[in-house]
């Protein structure tokens, strides 16, 4: 039934470009949306939760009152990440999360996401073509073999 379906869906957090951010709203308003639609302004308890999320995902306090449209690609990713973990999911799905990031930021942001997921006890699954991001965000990297559909473990290379 619909209650069971919603309980199942709530177990997943999804970080994807397809997760809509409201560009004209502030970072805090966007992070408040998983908790309430009363965001103009958010109630104090919701604002506190949104601010805690912003801190946890590494959004600087100076960005909290800015419209999301003013953020760079890393900021957008951090807001999407915050919204994905807001309701304490059991599983976090990342869909090409590093695609818009500058190469110099990929490894660090992947490691930060991994640390947050580990700290919260969230299983993390990332679909990515970015090996640097995959190695930063995950302890185990699998590659899909297109011809067979099998997953093959990528061993760490030692140079």
């Amino acid at each position: 039934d619909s209650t069971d379906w919603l309980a199942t869906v709530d177990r997943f957090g999804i970080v994807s470009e397809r997760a809509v951010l409201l560009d004209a709203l502030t970072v805090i308003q966007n992070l408040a949306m998983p908790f309430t639609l009363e965001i103009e302004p958010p109630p104090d308890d919701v604002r506190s939760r949104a601010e805690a999320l912003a801190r946890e995902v590494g959004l600087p306090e100076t960005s909290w009152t800015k419209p999301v449209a003013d953020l760079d690609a890393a900021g957008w990713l951090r807001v999407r990440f915050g919204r994905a973990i807001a309701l304490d999911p059991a599983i976090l799905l990342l869909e090409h999360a590093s695609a818009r990031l500058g190469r110099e930021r990929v490894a660090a942001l992947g490691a930060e996401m991994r640390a947050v997921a580990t700290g919260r006890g969230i299983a993390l699954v990332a679909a990515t073509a970015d090996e640097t991001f995959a190695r930063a965000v995950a302890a185990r990297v699998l590659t899909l073999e297109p011809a067979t559909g099998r997953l093959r473990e990528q061993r760490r290379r030692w140079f």
Side-chain angles (χ1 to χ4, degrees):
D1 68 11
S2 62
T3 303
D4 290 338
W5 169 248
L6 287 174
T8 300
V9 170
D10 282 347
R11 296 188 65 214
F12 290 88
I14 300 173
V15 178
S16 170
E17 286 286 321
R18 294 183 254 190
V20 175
L21 299 179
L22 299 176
D23 289 343
L25 298 182
T26 68
V27 166
I28 293 301
Q29 287 173 312
N30 271 276
L31 290 174
M33 289 180 67
F35 309 120
T36 184
L37 293 179
E38 290 181 49
I39 57 169
E40 192 54 52
D44 290 342
D45 61 323
V46 172
R47 173 176 287 287
S48 294
R49 291 174 77 183
E51 289 173 352
L53 275 176
R55 268 188 224 89
E56 186 174 13
V57 299
L59 285 159
E61 195 167 337
T62 56
S63 72
W64 296 0
T65 57
K66 291 182 180 178
V68 169
D70 291 351
L71 299 179
D72 62 7
W76 292 333
L77 178 57
R78 290 178 189 279
V79 173
R80 285 187 171 97
F81 181 44
R83 285 184 36 178
I85 64 172
L87 299 177
D88 299 318
I91 300 168
L92 183 62
L93 304 172
L94 307 177
E95 179 191 29
H96 301 289
S98 66
R100 295 181 61 190
L101 291 178
R103 299 310 306 153
E104 71 284 354
R105 299 178 96 174
V106 168
L109 199 48
E112 289 176 37
M113 294 174 89
R114 179 180 179 174
V116 169
T118 299
R120 284 176 163 249
I122 302 171
L124 189 148
V125 177
T128 185
D130 184 339
E131 186 175 349
T132 301
F133 182 76
R135 296 214 179 277
V137 81
R140 186 172 177 214
V141 177
L142 305 175
T143 301
L144 178 67
E145 293 178 350
T148 64
R150 288 191 319 234
L151 292 173
R152 181 175 43 87
E153 185 159 5
Q154 289 288 336
R155 300 286 180 203
R156 295 208 183 259
R157 295 183 200 138
W158 301 101
F159 298 100

